[in-house]
Amino acid sequence: MRAVGLFTHGGPEVLEVIELPEVHAGPGEVRIRVHAATVNPTDVGVRNGSRAEQQKADPPPYVPGMEAAGIVDEVGSGVPDRLKVGDAVIAIVVPKGGHGAYREQIALDARSVVRAPAGKTHAEAATLPMNGLTARLSLDLLKLTLGQVIAVTGAAGAYGGYVIQLAKAEGLRVIADASEKDEKLVASLGADIVVRRGDDVASRIREHFPQGVDGLADGAVLNALVIPAVRDGGAFTSVRGFQGAPQRDIHFTATMVRSYAQEFEKLDRLRQQVEAGEITLRVAEVYPPERAAEAHRRLEAGGTRGRLVIQF
């Protein structure tokens, strides 16, 4: 079967279409014929060598990819009835060696797989699992309640957009950042207040909430720069492992989605919210495997709105 992988770390040009041996579903697993896999910033880390030390445990080739959509074509023993051969599904993948989503076929623990949202293409469906679960985990960590205020940075991105929509579905007030060209997009996702993005966004948030917001999800990876936007005793969560220095009784957490990789009930709830119109799936462009390097270049150039997808 075909996959997109790399034998040496480097720029987008190291990605190539490779052949890998067929895999089969073991006990508790399903095999998916992958039709779509998204391109995310975390995939760049698999490719460029920033995670080389962790990757040494496995021989190359290394296959990136944390989100997939496709059709179940094999079911292992002990898999619950909710998944059957022929089902259109979505899955979150934790990459390890050649086990990443950029491949035509993958065997996964059934707890990482749920049915795809009805009426969505494989490319659209693939944009939900990892980014959706990351947003879900951030909100769970912030522990905000009805009527409280959440600030979202990086709001126009996949993660930020999902945080806004999930927060609104839970009755939170949302203040979010955007560039001038993304202002309408972020407002359309449900943000109550949109402020201009930038390193000084905390001061703009404070103009609207002088005491600070109850919680903040930092999708823009501003880290310490945006902590001043949070009120005393509020909550702050990051997406790249940042942990703020103890201050003002703020509850700091790092959103690490791998901890939710087998939380199929949460992923299935996200599916239901897509079907109910509470969550919007956004695809920027679809690429064949042979153009995966081009997709990585575009992602790294910045400004992508919606996910880039590799379609097998």
Side-chain angles (χ1 to χ4, degrees):
M1 64 161 161
R2 293 182 308 157
V4 174
L6 55 126
F7 289 91
T8 57
H9 296 108
E13 70 281 354
V14 303
L15 292 170
E16 57 182 296
V17 177
I18 58 176
E19 291 288 332
L20 291 177
E22 182 181 14
V23 294
H24 291 282
E29 293 182 335
V30 297
R31 187 177 72 179
I32 302 169
R33 166 60 175 93
V34 177
H35 287 276
T38 58
V39 178
N40 287 284
T42 184
D43 304 346
V44 174
V46 172
R47 189 209 76 221
N48 67 12
S50 61
R51 294 189 192 152
E53 200 56 43
Q54 300 100 298
Q55 289 172 306
K56 278 182 184 173
D58 301 286
Y62 303 117
V63 175
M66 289 193 70
E67 296 181 296
I71 303 290
V72 174
D73 69 357
E74 192 176 273
V75 175
S77 61
V79 169
D81 287 346
R82 64 183 180 84
L83 296 172
K84 293 183 173 64
V85 170
D87 286 347
V89 294
I90 54 175
I92 178 170
V93 181
V94 177
K96 181 173 168 55
H99 177 84
Y102 294 11
R103 47 190 288 157
E104 286 183 310
Q105 185 190 77
I106 193 164
L108 294 168
D109 190 302
R111 292 171 295 182
S112 297
V113 183
V114 301
R115 289 196 184 205
K120 300 299 181 184
T121 65
H122 292 303
E124 289 169 331
T127 66
L128 181 64
M130 189 271 285
N131 284 290
L133 282 171
T134 305
R136 178 68 269 157
L137 175 56
S138 285
L139 285 166
D140 292 349
L141 290 169
L142 291 172
K143 298 178 180 172
L144 301 179
T145 55
L146 185 71
Q148 285 194 299
V149 178
I150 182 173
V152 183
T153 68
Y159 162 81
Y162 287 145
V163 173
I164 291 171
Q165 292 189 307
L166 290 172
K168 291 305 296 179
E170 288 172 19
L172 302 180
R173 292 183 69 196
V174 178
I175 181 167
D177 70 349
S179 64
E180 189 174 0
K181 69 181 176 65
D182 287 330
E183 208 167 293
K184 285 182 180 172
L185 166 65
V186 171
S188 74
L189 292 169
D192 298 289
I193 301 168
V194 182
V195 295
R196 193 55 43 84
R197 62 176 291 190
D199 288 351
D200 57 347
V201 70
S203 61
R204 284 192 280 278
I205 293 170
R206 283 273 185 167
E207 287 172 14
H208 293 273
F209 299 98
Q211 304 304 311
V213 295
D214 299 299
L216 187 142
D218 184 24
V221 199
L222 293 170
N223 297 337
L225 290 174
V226 79
I227 294 172
V230 181
R231 67 168 171 81
D232 294 359
F236 179 107
T237 194
S238 67
V239 291
R240 299 277 174 86
F242 170 79
Q243 286 276 12
Q247 57 193 285
R248 300 190 289 116
D249 292 323
I250 293 172
H251 178 59
F252 289 101
T253 57
T255 299
M256 308 297 279
V257 74
R258 290 172 185 229
S259 66
Y260 269 15
Q262 295 188 355
E263 297 282 345
F264 74 90
E265 298 98 339
K266 292 183 185 295
L267 183 53
D268 198 52
R269 174 67 185 133
L270 291 171
R271 171 193 66 80
Q272 293 169 27
Q273 290 183 277
V274 170
E275 293 178 350
E278 294 176 359
I279 297 176
T280 306
L281 304 179
R282 295 182 285 150
V283 174
E285 193 168 343
V286 176
Y287 295 82
E290 295 77 12
R291 291 174 58 205
E294 193 179 321
H296 271 236
R297 280 190 199 96
R298 181 166 170 194
L299 180 71
E300 289 185 277
T304 307
R305 296 298 168 249
R307 272 289 163 249
L308 305 172
V309 180
I310 298 171
Q311 189 160 288
F312 288 94

